[in-house]
Amino acid sequence: MSLHFVLDPDLTPQLRAEIVALWVDVTNAGGAVGFVPPVTAADVHATADPTFAGIADGPDRLLVGYAGDRMVAVLIFSDNRFPLKAHWCVLKRVMVHPDTQGTGYGSALMREAARLGRKLGHEALHVTVRDGLGLDEFYRRLGYREIGRLPGALRLAPGDDRDEILMWLDLTPTD
């Protein structure tokens, strides 16, 4: 089944709850979206609530992917909130439901983000990736390139520090 996407859906209490549930499921399946498993909805709300405020009150934008009526993918176009960086944005909380892994939904979500990024006037997209999960290879296949690393920037547990990998996709025409 292919995905259909909605940019800036109404951030209803139901959609907020669905996003938090997805965030919990992704984290508890080992996904790198700001937490280390196990987490509960209460844990995620500490980060989700301010994130939702940035979407509802602006300037951030929410992209949701649906398989039929089921929400299965989410990402946030996060505004840099700094005029000298207004020509690019950061993609945050890139999530695809764990039971849809391997279906191509992640690639479809990122292709849609690139398409919309161009439409929104961005010249580039930036993501940060937790090292050790192979996510950098996923982004490389989509045209992103590594532009730097923050060594040991992410402490998952005592003695388990990971690099944060900075990835960049140039959206400007290559012609």
Side-chain angles (χ1 to χ4, degrees):
M1 176 179 287
S2 64
L3 293 183
H4 69 277
F5 295 98
V6 179
L7 179 65
D8 299 326
D10 187 15
L11 198 53
T12 63
Q14 178 181 338
L15 181 56
R16 290 171 191 242
E18 290 175 5
I19 292 170
V20 168
L22 175 64
W23 207 329
V24 168
D25 289 345
V26 168
T27 300
N28 288 335
V33 286
F35 297 95
V36 176
V39 296
T40 66
D43 298 325
V44 170
H45 271 288
T47 300
D49 293 343
T51 299
F52 293 147
I55 295 166
D57 301 333
D60 299 333
R61 314 280 301 265
L62 176 65
L63 177 63
V64 178
Y66 293 91
D69 293 333
R70 180 181 177 216
M71 185 199 68
V72 295
V74 167
L75 67 72
I76 298 162
F77 289 92
S78 181
D79 185 90
N80 284 303
R81 293 164 172 80
F82 185 65
L84 299 179
K85 295 181 179 182
H87 59 290
W88 60 276
C89 79
V90 180
L91 300 180
K92 292 188 175 182
R93 310 305 172 210
V94 177
M95 298 185 274
V96 175
H97 198 280
D99 70 10
T100 67
Q101 294 294 315
T103 61
Y105 288 175
S107 296
L109 176 66
M110 297 310 295
R111 283 192 303 273
E112 181 68 2
R115 186 189 75 76
L116 288 170
R118 286 181 185 92
K119 185 176 177 181
L120 295 170
H122 298 300
E123 295 175 17
L125 299 175
H126 170 59
V127 294
T128 60
V129 178
R130 182 185 300 170
D131 195 19
L133 299 174
L135 296 170
D136 51 324
E137 288 304 317
F138 167 76
Y139 287 103
R140 278 189 185 91
R141 285 192 303 271
L142 294 167
Y144 284 76
R145 62 186 167 93
E146 182 176 328
I147 57 168
R149 282 179 180 254
L150 301 175
L154 304 171
R155 179 156 293 157
L156 305 186
D160 187 5
D161 292 353
R162 306 282 178 90
D163 290 357
E164 184 171 49
I165 305 170
L166 312 176
M167 308 286 296
W168 186 264
L169 179 66
D170 187 356
L171 297 178
T172 57
T174 57
D175 299 334

